[in-house]
Amino acid sequence: MSTNHYDTYREDAAGRANVEDSPELVAYYRELEQLKTGALWTVANKIEPWQPRSDSVPVLWRYRDLREHVLRSVSLVTPEKAGRRVIYLDNPGRREVAAAVGWLYSGLQVMHPGERAGAHAHSSSALRFIMEGSGAYTIVDGHKMTLGVNDFVLTPNGTWHEHGVEDDGLPCIWQDGLDIPLVNALEAGFYAVHPDLQQAVGYPVDDSPGIWGAAGLRPQHAGWTRRYSPLFKYTWEATYAALQRYAGAQAHDSFDGALMHYTNPIDGGHVMATIGASMQMLPPGFVGSAHRHTGSFLYQVAKGRGHSVINGQRFDWQERDIFCVPSWAWHEHANASGSEDAVLFSFNDLPVMEKLGLYREEALADNGGHQPVLPLVSG
Amino acid sequence: MSTNHYDTYREDAAGRANVEDSPELVAYYRELEQLKTGALWTVANKIEPWQPRSDSVPVLWRYRDLREHVLRSVSLVTPEKAGRRVIYLDNPGRREVAAAVGWLYSGLQVMHPGERAGAHAHSSSALRFIMEGSGAYTIVDGHKMTLGVNDFVLTPNGTWHEHGVEDDGLPCIWQDGLDIPLVNALEAGFYAVHPDLQQAVGYPVDDSPGIWGAAGLRPQHAGWTRRYSPLFKYTWEATYAALQRYAGAQAHDSFDGALMHYTNPIDGGHVMATIGASMQMLPPGFVGSAHRHTGSFLYQVAKGRGHSVINGQRFDWQERDIFCVPSWAWHEHANASGSEDAVLFSFNDLPVMEKLGLYREEALADNGGHQPVLPLVSG
Amino acid sequence: MSTNHYDTYREDAAGRANVEDSPELVAYYRELEQLKTGALWTVANKIEPWQPRSDSVPVLWRYRDLREHVLRSVSLVTPEKAGRRVIYLDNPGRREVAAAVGWLYSGLQVMHPGERAGAHAHSSSALRFIMEGSGAYTIVDGHKMTLGVNDFVLTPNGTWHEHGVEDDGLPCIWQDGLDIPLVNALEAGFYAVHPDLQQAVGYPVDDSPGIWGAAGLRPQHAGWTRRYSPLFKYTWEATYAALQRYAGAQAHDSFDGALMHYTNPIDGGHVMATIGASMQMLPPGFVGSAHRHTGSFLYQVAKGRGHSVINGQRFDWQERDIFCVPSWAWHEHANASGSEDAVLFSFNDLPVMEKLGLYREEALADNGGHQPVLPLVSG
Amino acid sequence: MSTNHYDTYREDAAGRANVEDSPELVAYYRELEQLKTGALWTVANKIEPWQPRSDSVPVLWRYRDLREHVLRSVSLVTPEKAGRRVIYLDNPGRREVAAAVGWLYSGLQVMHPGERAGAHAHSSSALRFIMEGSGAYTIVDGHKMTLGVNDFVLTPNGTWHEHGVEDDGLPCIWQDGLDIPLVNALEAGFYAVHPDLQQAVGYPVDDSPGIWGAAGLRPQHAGWTRRYSPLFKYTWEATYAALQRYAGAQAHDSFDGALMHYTNPIDGGHVMATIGASMQMLPPGFVGSAHRHTGSFLYQVAKGRGHSVINGQRFDWQERDIFCVPSWAWHEHANASGSEDAVLFSFNDLPVMEKLGLYREEALADNGGHQPVLPLVSG
């Protein structure tokens, strides 16, 4: 803190630092700085807040706003020059680390039929959620997966992976989700380009869901020791059917309707070491209560329309829109339709919160469990 | 060993006991008996065999032989008097403990439409595999599951459970598999009759597969701490489809074709604490190689026909037949058809072998991996 | 059950089998026997008892009775002929399987200075507890451990192991504890004699406790993937000191005083896959309450004297005596001294009970928590 | 990136972004900014570095420089006003988050006899390592621990904890280590002051090491479900003795000499959810090789003197000095004495690296495994 004032963070409360600057103290502080040290009481209240303060702000990115810009990138840059044609979501509070929310990155990528991106590997965990088009595929360590709209696919940390669209497909747009900001912050990121730029397909197409995608059954020869799911692809068709069965089998959660987490069939846990993902159904007429919890969340509307109130701001969303909920932000979701369900895909850093013992949640007790909505709505 | 001879187990090999009886020694042995002790060298070679010796013998139980006897029990005893009308499989080497093989019990139970067995609970883990009929159901701790042919259902240890057939169903026969002999041997068996004799259904019908039966998805609110799977029912339809996908996704195992283990979705492990279960497809024309391993196995033919060679004996089987493979017995399976697949259901004590560090396996190296078949075939 | 009577196990209680023999039924039963089957209701009440029935009986083996017999074996048989000179404890209810209690084997082994047994390996887990002498040592997979009185040492399943007494030692007697009966019952026992009959010492003497025997510290390079503790030796000195600290740090358990389980430092669990072991201190004047639980226990008195009441029988014990508590037997312990503590070593099959979900316990509610003692006391 | 130049991070390599600014593109980028988005190729090379880049710089803090400043704080501020009198280590590259290295905080705290800090709790995990004085103690959730020089004590996340010095003690200085910067970055920090400002001692003094501090033994009644070690205190005496035994039991590690990790006796893992700690002995004459790995480390010299070369800079250290090794920095340690051992305490974020799948290490292959040392040495 090279500044003239060292008593910015004073608080008048028992157990908190409350030391006023004096010439003698300021001189002392400057000596400490020479020794690459500081006096804790000058920063204690700043670095030990009473509760989490997120740098991220709630944002809704409307697909109708973004789509043309994404498509325009095709004419503006070549894949060879750009690497990948991606428009990333840049949270106003997180521009320094290029995060959509918290330590999570998100971008919309476009690819034309016949195109194929180069294969690479990195320490970041990544996922794709298909938004439009046909003929998309992803190859992970030699396993090729065919992808349709609302399919969810993993490209976990350390794997060689690449994406493409078949010659007879249609232009595809998908959301990329990664923990790039987190891995950079943890100073643990490695990046590599495949020596052949492209990798060979070494297994039957869609073998991963063929081997690992059966409910309540696992292959005789597992032999899997990686820290991420061997099931790389989760189809919309099976996921939506599962949500419907689940919604019929038990009462809805007052916050999230019927929510299922994508899992690693090896151990029933999160799909990757640092990123979790979920799909949730808000039944017709659903109006959820508000709660808040640690962890950062990015939502994409897979089906239907509705709104969410996040820290008092109302965001109206429809299919393909993306919005974020920062850590410890109050949030509640509602389905706008009384006859159709709405379905939200989301990914998050829950595995980090849980493994590090930092998950905490709280329901809103006041006002019938609903936030007062601020008059001005921003998008 | 109250006997006149104490040197029955002598072996002439380095590191093995080889002490001949003498009058002095026999007198000594008798003194030891008075003290409730014995000389280890008189029994060492018996209790430390070079490799496992199973008391069980290979047996094939043909359904065409058993079926009428099972059905006849309906007219011979009432449910009230018999508790359950079950014909159990009595391995000639295990009659003392009423086991079908090793420490596993198996019985064929029959129930008529409108009948419902009393609810009970026990320390044994149990499973049912439906063989014929319609309208069968099982209730486990208030969760009711509807069952069809080749469906597999769990009634884990400690749960209240009962079975019935709907009024509009057909007479049903199923296989019961339990670890009763094991739990008795371990002197840990408790049994209780439900105070109301019948339990209430407390959840939507088939809620267990609705909540837990989705591939790669788990409910938001797991809250499951039991040592067995919360997924109680595994349907034939989904299992057979999964086997077909699996068989297409990777090379067949030379011993077992395409084999999948039923799993607990919570942790990817065995379905219950002491019993594992599997379904395997022998593709058309499949002729498996021989191997042996520790653990006891009971097979039921779910589809097709073929044969197995077990410790040199050939057993020809067809749909609904049941056969056993004792611990450390050589065995190999073959599909009799060149155009249809054959499918084998099996259950076993693999969880016990694995948890206690006792699993071991060996491939037959000689004779091209096939056992010489003994001239006489018994059933 | 080849017998003339099939209705031996009838019970007149709801939910239990209660079928009387009739000529027609007996004929039916005999037909079933021809098919290697039986009617469940003829054996159901036998194989599904209301609570565990142990075949083992409570026994106290007094060291003053056994010691001379153990020593006498030295003159009666050579190590070459006998393999090992061991007097095993033969529970009157378990003579068929040579068990001291339940599925646990125990024997007292004697060895003279300069003797060294041959190295072998087996599927059984084994432990040694030193009773008298000096200069004893054990070698496990090349790791040599020096042993004194009341030291506890593991020779886990699958390890090459052997015992010896240094030339300058004194004759040594120790207790061997193994799960031989269990492994045989599970039909999973393998036995091998070391190809060189003796194994070389490949590491610094006592390296195992040097590397793994520090409280709250583990070596940088663990690299341990076996299912048993890498810490093979637990000294009496450290164990007794730990018990004293523990006894001072919290209230005594009403059943067991201050009891600590020996643990695997890798995961904090039991020392071996099938056998657990404990040391417990009964403080001066301690009179424990009665309880019962599943699992079989064998105790050796490490220090002091007192008595135990087991299923109503009182057994008075002193240093070096051994006694057993069968599964589900009521038991309570008391220290005979008002000034000295008493210390009991024990080993058990708790890992089996726990892993298989079969552990259950119950406190005695009646009579102030104490059993009425039967008039006749047997030893 | 609100800037006039968007092509700062271009790289001319296959698979990397290499797009030159053009008026059309810059216009496009500005449109994207309006939508809270950006073009990935303008930042891709920045956010996906080839290998980790640490913001931290290697620093050595000499105790002889810091000590007087720490002591001076006593006369400058009262505990009531300052909360705690702590001088924190402020890495020049991490001043914004008040970290000593990476996401780890460290401070030197001073307390006089009779003083006692207020009790608080926070989401951060904390540890103390005593540097000088006598009579120090720490209370964690009612468990009081007495502390001497080089003792290591945990105050895990979520616990009520406080520190004090007995009336008859001497002024104490200790190092506080916390993950405050990490928890803040993860937006998951909560802070609470104890309602009574001080907590009562509810257990025998030093009960935690009494119950949990025995090698190879655990208490009968564990009942511990927290995510941190129930053993809160690790004494120097026992740790140093363990290191000596360990050093004698196996070959030294070429990088770290004889290094042991402090562990949670419940599961053998790290002591807390986010922070690991170690003690390592560099034997007399030890000259280590260089390696680098992910994860941030802070060392304190517990005994002896020597030097470390970190990213080519040589740092000479002696007892009580503190230095840091940033993530992926080359480092090697050497003992300056040929007759005395040197001992280094350290704490780190290894649990984070390991749980999130981000740990990686590399040995220096060139130059005989030693870094060329830069001519200028800074402290």
Side-chain angles (χ1 to χ4, degrees):
Chain A
M1 302 291 118
S2 274
T3 165
N4 293 317
H5 299 288
Y6 294 85
D7 56 3
T8 318
Y9 302 107
R10 289 169 66 189
E11 282 183 41
D12 185 13
R16 302 290 277 186
N18 189 15
V19 178
E20 197 176 0
D21 282 355
S22 71
E24 186 186 17
L25 278 172
V26 168
Y28 176 66
Y29 298 153
R30 296 215 165 124
E31 282 178 57
L32 291 180
E33 284 174 8
Q34 296 307 310
L35 296 168
K36 294 171 184 160
T37 61
L40 176 60
W41 57 87
T42 63
V43 298
N45 298 340
K46 176 196 176 201
I47 67 176
E48 298 191 320
W50 295 97
Q51 61 181 45
R53 290 183 303 229
S54 181
D55 288 332
S56 301
V57 297
V59 180
L60 170 71
W61 292 271
R62 292 190 190 85
Y63 192 55
R64 62 181 180 272
D65 296 337
L66 301 186
R67 187 171 182 275
E68 68 164 316
H69 286 84
V70 172
L71 292 172
R72 186 137 64 96
S73 71
V74 175
S75 60
L76 288 171
V77 292
T78 63
E80 289 69 34
K81 285 288 186 186
R84 289 145 289 166
R85 286 174 305 209
V86 177
I87 305 310
Y88 71 95
L89 309 183
D90 204 20
N91 194 292
R94 302 295 283 163
R95 301 192 70 176
E96 205 165 339
V97 296
V101 63
W103 298 101
L104 295 172
Y105 162 97
S106 171
L108 301 194
Q109 185 163 174
V110 59
M111 200 171 272
H112 271 219
E115 289 185 349
R116 179 175 179 182
H120 60 189
H122 42 59
S123 304
S124 290
S125 297
L127 59 86
R128 267 76 197 167
F129 189 79
I130 309 302
M131 299 176 75
E132 64 170 85
S134 73
Y137 63 86
T138 286
I139 309 173
V140 177
D141 280 346
H143 301 271
K144 179 175 178 175
M145 276 140 311
T146 59
L147 300 168
V149 170
N150 280 356
D151 284 357
F152 168 57
V153 64
L154 310 179
T155 56
N157 63 321
T159 58
W160 292 114
H161 59 277
E162 62 197 287
H163 311 285
V165 175
E166 305 287 359
D167 291 341
D168 58 356
L170 295 171
C172 291
I173 297 178
W174 62 81
Q175 184 185 195
D176 291 313
L178 293 102
D179 62 356
I180 286 175
L182 177 67
V183 172
N184 285 338
L186 295 176
E187 305 181 334
F190 295 85
Y191 187 90
V193 173
H194 195 283
D196 305 328
L197 295 183
Q198 310 265 315
Q199 61 181 316
V201 175
Y203 306 90
V205 170
D206 284 323
D207 71 317
S208 166
I211 295 171
W212 292 101
L217 288 164
R218 69 170 168 85
Q220 177 179 24
H221 302 296
W224 188 261
T225 57
R226 308 286 175 79
R227 300 168 67 95
Y228 48 80
S229 170
L231 175 59
F232 297 143
K233 169 182 161 179
Y234 303 75
T235 68
W236 165 247
E237 185 183 36
T239 302
Y240 185 61
L243 269 182
Q244 287 178 304
R245 289 195 305 271
Y246 176 49
Q250 63 174 39
H252 302 131
D253 178 77
S254 63
F255 306 116
D256 284 312
L259 185 152
M260 303 192 88
H261 294 292
Y262 292 99
T263 61
N264 177 346
I266 289 285
D267 59 10
H270 290 293
V271 289
M272 294 189 288
T274 51
I275 303 183
S278 306
M279 190 75 93
Q280 75 192 88
M281 175 184 289
L282 310 181
F286 180 83
V287 177
S289 299
H291 68 157
R292 61 180 177 179
H293 44 68
T294 52
S296 300
F297 284 69
L298 204 68
Y299 291 83
Q300 180 173 136
V301 184
K303 179 171 182 294
R305 57 200 177 76
H307 74 267
S308 298
V309 182
I310 307 170
N311 273 352
Q313 273 188 287
R314 173 173 168 147
F315 298 90
D316 286 89
W317 40 254
Q318 61 185 53
E319 226 168 277
R320 304 276 79 87
D321 288 351
I322 297 175
F323 62 94
C324 71
V325 175
S327 184
W328 208 237
W330 292 112
H331 57 286
E332 56 193 280
H333 309 299
N335 183 347
S337 167
S339 56
E340 298 291 316
D341 50 43
V343 181
L344 301 175
F345 167 79
S346 59
F347 69 94
N348 54 65
D349 58 0
L350 275 184
V352 177
M353 292 297 116
E354 293 172 357
K355 289 175 184 174
L356 304 188
L358 295 171
Y359 185 75
R360 193 190 287 203
E361 64 180 322
E362 185 180 14
L364 181 62
D366 301 335
N367 199 31
H370 295 286
Q371 305 161 73
V373 179
L374 304 176
L376 277 180
V377 177
S378 79
Chain B
M1 301 291 121
S2 272
T3 164
N4 293 318
H5 298 287
Y6 294 83
D7 57 3
T8 318
Y9 301 108
R10 291 170 66 189
E11 281 184 42
D12 186 12
R16 301 291 276 186
N18 187 15
V19 177
E20 197 175 0
D21 281 354
S22 71
E24 186 186 17
L25 278 172
V26 168
Y28 176 67
Y29 297 152
R30 296 210 165 129
E31 283 179 56
L32 291 179
E33 284 173 9
Q34 296 307 311
L35 296 168
K36 296 172 183 158
T37 61
L40 176 59
W41 57 87
T42 64
V43 298
N45 298 340
K46 175 195 174 203
I47 67 175
E48 298 191 321
W50 295 97
Q51 62 182 46
R53 290 182 303 228
S54 180
D55 287 333
S56 301
V57 296
V59 180
L60 170 71
W61 291 272
R62 291 189 191 86
Y63 192 55
R64 61 181 179 272
D65 296 337
L66 301 185
R67 189 173 181 275
E68 67 166 314
H69 286 84
V70 172
L71 291 173
R72 188 136 64 95
S73 71
V74 176
S75 59
L76 287 171
V77 292
T78 64
E80 290 68 34
K81 285 287 186 187
R84 290 146 288 166
R85 285 173 303 209
V86 178
I87 304 310
Y88 70 96
L89 309 184
D90 204 20
N91 193 293
R94 303 294 284 163
R95 301 193 70 179
E96 204 163 340
V97 296
V101 62
W103 298 100
L104 295 173
Y105 162 98
S106 171
L108 301 195
Q109 184 163 173
V110 60
M111 200 171 274
H112 272 219
E115 290 186 347
R116 181 175 178 182
H120 60 191
H122 42 60
S123 304
S124 290
S125 297
L127 58 86
R128 268 76 197 168
F129 190 78
I130 310 301
M131 298 178 75
E132 65 170 84
S134 73
Y137 64 86
T138 286
I139 309 172
V140 177
D141 280 345
H143 301 271
K144 178 175 178 175
M145 277 140 310
T146 59
L147 300 168
V149 170
N150 281 357
D151 284 357
F152 168 56
V153 64
L154 310 180
T155 56
N157 62 322
T159 58
W160 292 115
H161 58 277
E162 62 197 286
H163 312 285
V165 176
E166 305 287 0
D167 290 342
D168 59 355
L170 294 171
C172 291
I173 298 178
W174 61 81
Q175 184 184 193
D176 291 313
L178 295 102
D179 62 355
I180 287 175
L182 177 69
V183 172
N184 284 338
L186 295 176
E187 304 181 337
F190 295 85
Y191 188 90
V193 173
H194 195 282
D196 304 328
L197 294 183
Q198 309 265 313
Q199 62 182 317
V201 175
Y203 306 91
V205 171
D206 285 324
D207 72 316
S208 166
I211 295 171
W212 292 103
L217 288 164
R218 68 170 168 83
Q220 177 179 23
H221 302 296
W224 189 261
T225 57
R226 308 287 174 79
R227 301 170 66 97
Y228 49 80
S229 170
L231 176 58
F232 297 144
K233 169 182 161 179
Y234 303 75
T235 67
W236 164 248
E237 187 181 35
T239 303
Y240 185 61
L243 269 182
Q244 287 178 303
R245 289 195 305 272
Y246 176 50
Q250 64 174 37
H252 302 131
D253 178 77
S254 62
F255 305 117
D256 283 313
L259 184 152
M260 303 192 89
H261 294 292
Y262 292 100
T263 61
N264 177 346
I266 289 285
D267 59 9
H270 289 292
V271 288
M272 294 188 288
T274 52
I275 303 184
S278 307
M279 192 74 94
Q280 75 191 89
M281 176 185 288
L282 309 181
F286 179 83
V287 177
S289 299
H291 68 156
R292 61 180 176 179
H293 44 68
T294 52
S296 300
F297 284 69
L298 203 68
Y299 291 83
Q300 179 173 136
V301 184
K303 180 171 181 293
R305 57 197 177 76
H307 75 265
S308 298
V309 182
I310 307 169
N311 273 353
Q313 273 188 287
R314 174 173 168 146
F315 297 90
D316 287 89
W317 40 253
Q318 62 185 53
E319 227 168 277
R320 305 275 78 87
D321 288 351
I322 296 175
F323 62 93
C324 72
V325 175
S327 184
W328 206 237
W330 292 111
H331 57 285
E332 57 193 282
H333 308 299
N335 182 347
S337 167
S339 57
E340 298 290 318
D341 51 42
V343 181
L344 302 175
F345 167 80
S346 59
F347 67 94
N348 55 63
D349 58 0
L350 275 183
V352 178
M353 293 296 117
E354 293 171 358
K355 289 175 184 174
L356 304 188
L358 296 173
Y359 185 75
R360 194 189 287 203
E361 63 180 320
E362 185 180 15
L364 181 62
D366 302 336
N367 199 31
H370 295 287
Q371 306 161 71
V373 179
L374 304 177
L376 277 181
V377 177
S378 80
Chain C
M1 302 290 120
S2 273
T3 163
N4 293 319
H5 298 288
Y6 294 84
D7 57 2
T8 318
Y9 301 107
R10 290 170 65 189
E11 282 183 41
D12 186 12
R16 300 291 277 185
N18 189 14
V19 178
E20 197 176 1
D21 282 352
S22 71
E24 186 185 17
L25 278 172
V26 168
Y28 176 66
Y29 298 152
R30 296 213 164 125
E31 282 179 57
L32 291 180
E33 284 174 8
Q34 296 306 312
L35 296 168
K36 295 170 184 158
T37 61
L40 176 59
W41 58 87
T42 63
V43 298
N45 298 340
K46 176 196 175 202
I47 67 176
E48 298 191 319
W50 295 96
Q51 63 181 45
R53 291 182 302 228
S54 180
D55 288 333
S56 301
V57 297
V59 180
L60 170 71
W61 292 272
R62 290 190 191 86
Y63 192 56
R64 60 180 180 274
D65 296 337
L66 300 186
R67 187 172 183 276
E68 68 164 315
H69 287 83
V70 172
L71 292 172
R72 187 137 64 97
S73 72
V74 175
S75 60
L76 287 171
V77 292
T78 64
E80 290 70 33
K81 285 287 186 187
R84 289 145 289 166
R85 286 173 304 209
V86 177
I87 304 311
Y88 70 96
L89 309 184
D90 204 18
N91 193 293
R94 302 295 283 163
R95 301 193 69 177
E96 205 163 339
V97 296
V101 63
W103 298 101
L104 295 173
Y105 162 98
S106 172
L108 301 194
Q109 184 163 174
V110 60
M111 200 172 272
H112 272 219
E115 289 186 349
R116 180 176 180 182
H120 61 188
H122 42 60
S123 304
S124 290
S125 297
L127 59 85
R128 268 75 197 169
F129 189 79
I130 310 301
M131 299 177 75
E132 65 170 85
S134 73
Y137 63 86
T138 287
I139 309 173
V140 177
D141 280 345
H143 300 271
K144 179 174 178 175
M145 275 139 313
T146 59
L147 299 168
V149 170
N150 280 357
D151 284 357
F152 168 55
V153 64
L154 309 179
T155 56
N157 62 321
T159 58
W160 292 115
H161 59 275
E162 62 197 286
H163 312 284
V165 175
E166 305 287 359
D167 291 341
D168 59 355
L170 295 171
C172 291
I173 297 179
W174 61 80
Q175 183 185 193
D176 291 315
L178 294 101
D179 62 356
I180 287 175
L182 178 68
V183 172
N184 286 337
L186 294 176
E187 304 181 337
F190 295 85
Y191 188 91
V193 173
H194 195 283
D196 304 327
L197 294 183
Q198 310 265 315
Q199 62 181 316
V201 175
Y203 306 90
V205 171
D206 284 323
D207 72 318
S208 166
I211 295 170
W212 293 102
L217 287 164
R218 68 171 168 84
Q220 177 178 24
H221 302 296
W224 189 260
T225 57
R226 308 286 175 79
R227 302 169 65 96
Y228 49 79
S229 170
L231 176 57
F232 297 144
K233 169 182 161 179
Y234 303 76
T235 66
W236 164 248
E237 186 182 36
T239 302
Y240 184 61
L243 269 183
Q244 288 178 304
R245 288 195 306 270
Y246 177 50
Q250 63 175 38
H252 302 131
D253 178 77
S254 63
F255 306 116
D256 283 313
L259 184 151
M260 303 192 89
H261 293 292
Y262 292 100
T263 62
N264 177 346
I266 289 285
D267 60 10
H270 289 292
V271 289
M272 294 188 288
T274 51
I275 303 183
S278 307
M279 191 75 93
Q280 75 191 88
M281 175 185 288
L282 310 181
F286 179 83
V287 178
S289 299
H291 68 156
R292 60 181 176 178
H293 45 68
T294 52
S296 299
F297 284 68
L298 204 68
Y299 291 82
Q300 180 173 135
V301 184
K303 179 170 181 295
R305 57 198 178 74
H307 74 266
S308 298
V309 182
I310 308 169
N311 273 351
Q313 273 187 288
R314 174 174 168 145
F315 297 91
D316 287 89
W317 40 253
Q318 61 185 52
E319 227 169 277
R320 305 275 79 87
D321 288 351
I322 296 174
F323 62 94
C324 71
V325 175
S327 184
W328 207 237
W330 292 112
H331 57 285
E332 57 192 282
H333 309 298
N335 183 347
S337 167
S339 57
E340 298 291 317
D341 51 42
V343 181
L344 301 175
F345 167 80
S346 59
F347 68 95
N348 55 64
D349 57 2
L350 275 184
V352 177
M353 294 296 116
E354 293 171 358
K355 289 175 183 174
L356 304 188
L358 296 172
Y359 185 74
R360 194 189 286 203
E361 63 180 320
E362 185 179 14
L364 181 62
D366 301 335
N367 199 32
H370 295 286
Q371 306 161 72
V373 178
L374 304 177
L376 277 180
V377 177
S378 77
Chain D
M1 300 290 122
S2 275
T3 165
N4 294 317
H5 299 287
Y6 294 84
D7 56 2
T8 318
Y9 302 107
R10 290 170 66 189
E11 282 183 42
D12 185 13
R16 301 291 276 187
N18 188 15
V19 177
E20 197 176 359
D21 282 353
S22 71
E24 185 186 18
L25 278 172
V26 167
Y28 176 67
Y29 298 153
R30 296 210 165 128
E31 282 179 57
L32 291 180
E33 284 174 9
Q34 296 307 312
L35 296 168
K36 295 171 184 159
T37 60
L40 176 59
W41 57 87
T42 63
V43 298
N45 298 340
K46 176 196 174 202
I47 68 175
E48 298 191 321
W50 296 97
Q51 62 181 45
R53 289 182 305 228
S54 181
D55 287 332
S56 300
V57 297
V59 180
L60 171 72
W61 290 272
R62 291 190 190 87
Y63 193 56
R64 60 182 180 273
D65 296 336
L66 301 185
R67 188 172 182 276
E68 67 164 315
H69 286 83
V70 172
L71 293 172
R72 187 137 63 96
S73 70
V74 175
S75 59
L76 287 171
V77 292
T78 64
E80 290 69 33
K81 285 287 185 186
R84 289 145 288 166
R85 287 174 303 209
V86 177
I87 304 310
Y88 70 94
L89 308 183
D90 203 19
N91 194 293
R94 303 294 284 163
R95 300 192 70 177
E96 205 164 340
V97 295
V101 63
W103 298 101
L104 296 172
Y105 162 98
S106 172
L108 301 195
Q109 185 162 174
V110 59
M111 201 171 272
H112 272 218
E115 289 185 348
R116 179 175 179 182
H120 60 190
H122 42 60
S123 304
S124 291
S125 297
L127 58 87
R128 268 78 197 167
F129 189 78
I130 309 302
M131 299 178 75
E132 64 171 85
S134 73
Y137 63 87
T138 286
I139 309 173
V140 177
D141 281 344
H143 301 271
K144 179 175 178 176
M145 276 139 313
T146 59
L147 300 167
V149 170
N150 281 355
D151 284 358
F152 168 57
V153 64
L154 310 180
T155 56
N157 62 321
T159 57
W160 292 116
H161 58 277
E162 63 197 286
H163 311 283
V165 175
E166 305 287 0
D167 291 341
D168 59 354
L170 295 171
C172 291
I173 297 178
W174 60 82
Q175 185 184 194
D176 290 314
L178 293 102
D179 61 357
I180 286 175
L182 177 68
V183 172
N184 285 338
L186 295 176
E187 304 180 335
F190 295 85
Y191 187 90
V193 173
H194 195 283
D196 303 328
L197 294 183
Q198 308 265 315
Q199 61 181 318
V201 174
Y203 306 90
V205 171
D206 284 322
D207 72 316
S208 166
I211 295 171
W212 291 102
L217 288 164
R218 68 170 168 85
Q220 176 179 23
H221 301 295
W224 189 262
T225 58
R226 308 286 175 78
R227 301 168 67 96
Y228 49 80
S229 171
L231 176 59
F232 297 143
K233 170 182 162 181
Y234 303 75
T235 66
W236 164 248
E237 186 182 35
T239 302
Y240 185 61
L243 269 182
Q244 287 178 303
R245 288 196 306 270
Y246 176 50
Q250 62 174 39
H252 302 130
D253 178 76
S254 63
F255 306 116
D256 283 313
L259 185 152
M260 303 192 88
H261 294 292
Y262 291 99
T263 62
N264 177 345
I266 288 285
D267 59 10
H270 289 293
V271 288
M272 294 188 288
T274 52
I275 303 183
S278 306
M279 192 74 94
Q280 75 191 88
M281 176 185 288
L282 310 181
F286 179 83
V287 178
S289 300
H291 69 157
R292 60 180 177 179
H293 45 68
T294 52
S296 300
F297 284 69
L298 203 69
Y299 291 82
Q300 180 174 135
V301 184
K303 180 171 182 292
R305 57 198 176 78
H307 74 266
S308 298
V309 182
I310 307 169
N311 273 353
Q313 273 188 287
R314 174 173 168 146
F315 297 91
D316 286 90
W317 40 253
Q318 61 186 52
E319 227 167 277
R320 303 276 79 88
D321 288 350
I322 296 175
F323 62 94
C324 71
V325 175
S327 184
W328 207 237
W330 293 111
H331 57 284
E332 56 193 282
H333 308 299
N335 183 347
S337 167
S339 57
E340 298 291 318
D341 51 43
V343 182
L344 302 175
F345 168 79
S346 59
F347 68 93
N348 54 64
D349 58 2
L350 275 184
V352 178
M353 293 295 117
E354 292 171 358
K355 288 175 184 174
L356 305 187
L358 295 172
Y359 185 75
R360 194 190 286 203
E361 64 180 319
E362 185 180 16
L364 180 63
D366 302 335
N367 199 31
H370 294 287
Q371 305 160 75
V373 179
L374 304 176
L376 277 181
V377 178
S378 80

